[in-house]
Amino acid sequence: MRAIILAAGGGTRLRPLTNDLPKCLVPLGPQPLVDHQLQALRAVGVEDIVLVVGYLADQVRRHCGDSVRYVENRQFATTNSIYSLYVARHELDADTFLFNCDIIFHVRLLERMLAAEVPNAVAVDSAVKLQAGEMNVRFSRGGRVKAVGKQLDPATCQAMSVQLVKFEASGARAVAADVKRLVELDEKDVFPTSAYGPLIDAGRLHAVEAGDLPWAEIDNLKDYDRAIGLIPRLTGPSSDGTTLLP
């Protein structure tokens, strides 16, 4: 199993925290955000981890060293995260977790996604109040994803995306091919979810519930304050009594 973490952006909405730090190195409790993610991945046995870097990339390399592999998005200032995935598309040839560096989550979620009897899955929160402009998800009664995107009407959706996705190898390759197609059509200012279309159309992407577990997307300072408050729950015991983060 591989993981790709998109960590190239400048994190402008988190300023001043990101004035001199890449977003993934912003402290979240006793350690940087990326360390929470790396620990969670390693706790479930994922050691092949790829960081897509850009803004202040040298700081990320110094911090993580050779414990991860790197792909660099040199156009991070003028492109969206789909371009970061484009430059790393050659890594989409294996079973893969994909998420942004600004997502924090309980490691139980990774365990749940690995255990899910579906090859391609997106973590969703059906407990949160849905809002326009968020990454909402529409799916069938059986959990088969029908649409995912920020343009969807919340009234037609069942959950918000946690923006943590698991692909099996053929699904990852299908996403890589559509990422390539979109970028070569000069669609560089869209999200990676735009490339999930072939999987959705084929009925190969399913929703996995995460609403009973603590998680947060850290887009801005308000999100950051909320994430700080979640730290005790992220490092506490899971529902089965096991400690999930070292």
Side-chain angles (χ1 to χ4, degrees):
M1 191 79 189
R2 177 175 297 154
I4 300 174
I5 303 175
L6 305 179
T12 55
R13 286 180 288 174
L14 269 180
R15 291 176 179 167
L17 299 178
T18 52
N19 282 350
D20 302 303
L21 279 176
K23 182 188 275 192
C24 68
L25 294 187
V26 167
L28 195 68
Q31 59 190 0
L33 173 56
V34 72
D35 286 7
H36 289 276
Q37 297 178 327
L38 297 180
Q39 286 178 0
L41 288 166
R42 289 167 181 151
V44 298
V46 179
E47 297 288 344
D48 184 9
I49 301 169
V50 178
L51 285 182
V52 184
V53 295
Y55 176 65
L56 299 176
D58 288 347
Q59 289 191 35
V60 184
R61 294 177 189 272
R62 284 195 299 271
H63 178 80
C64 296
D66 60 4
S67 67
V68 302
R69 297 187 291 116
Y70 303 93
V71 175
E72 187 158 0
N73 174 5
R74 297 181 184 278
Q75 298 186 42
F76 69 87
T78 58
T79 59
N80 208 329
S81 50
I82 196 167
Y83 194 77
S84 287
L85 191 54
Y86 173 77
V87 299
R89 66 191 184 281
H90 57 283
E91 299 289 354
L92 287 167
D93 62 352
D95 294 353
T96 303
F97 280 121
L98 171 66
F99 52 90
N100 294 331
C101 75
D102 60 1
I103 304 295
I104 191 160
F105 48 86
H106 201 294
V107 72
R108 177 65 177 162
L109 180 52
L110 298 183
E111 295 175 339
R112 186 175 294 177
M113 295 184 78
L114 288 171
E117 295 182 357
V118 291
N120 306 289
V122 56
V124 303
D125 187 340
S126 62
V128 71
K129 181 179 179 181
L130 301 186
Q131 301 176 45
E134 296 293 343
M135 194 65 75
N136 294 315
V137 185
R138 184 184 304 141
F139 51 87
S140 68
R141 192 175 187 86
R144 186 167 292 170
V145 173
K146 299 297 185 181
V148 54
K150 292 195 173 188
Q151 79 288 354
L152 298 178
D153 179 353
T156 69
C157 297
Q158 291 76 38
M160 182 184 296
S161 174
V162 176
Q163 300 188 58
L164 195 164
V165 191
K166 178 197 78 171
F167 300 120
E168 49 81 33
S170 68
R173 287 191 288 269
V175 170
D178 214 48
V179 166
K180 182 175 184 290
R181 180 186 68 84
L182 289 167
V183 171
E184 291 180 354
L185 289 173
D186 208 32
E187 296 285 348
K188 298 179 183 179
D189 195 30
V190 297
F191 298 97
T193 48
S194 298
Y196 300 171
L199 290 183
I200 292 172
D201 291 345
R204 296 175 60 200
L205 185 64
H206 287 76
V208 171
E209 182 60 57
D212 58 323
L213 296 170
W215 72 277
E217 180 184 15
I218 307 172
D219 273 338
N220 52 47
L221 294 173
K222 183 178 179 181
D223 293 340
Y224 177 77
D225 289 341
R226 176 176 175 270
I228 289 288
L230 286 177
I231 291 174
R233 294 177 61 201
L234 290 167
T235 56
S238 70
S239 57
D240 62 7
T242 59
T243 298
L244 296 174
L245 284 180

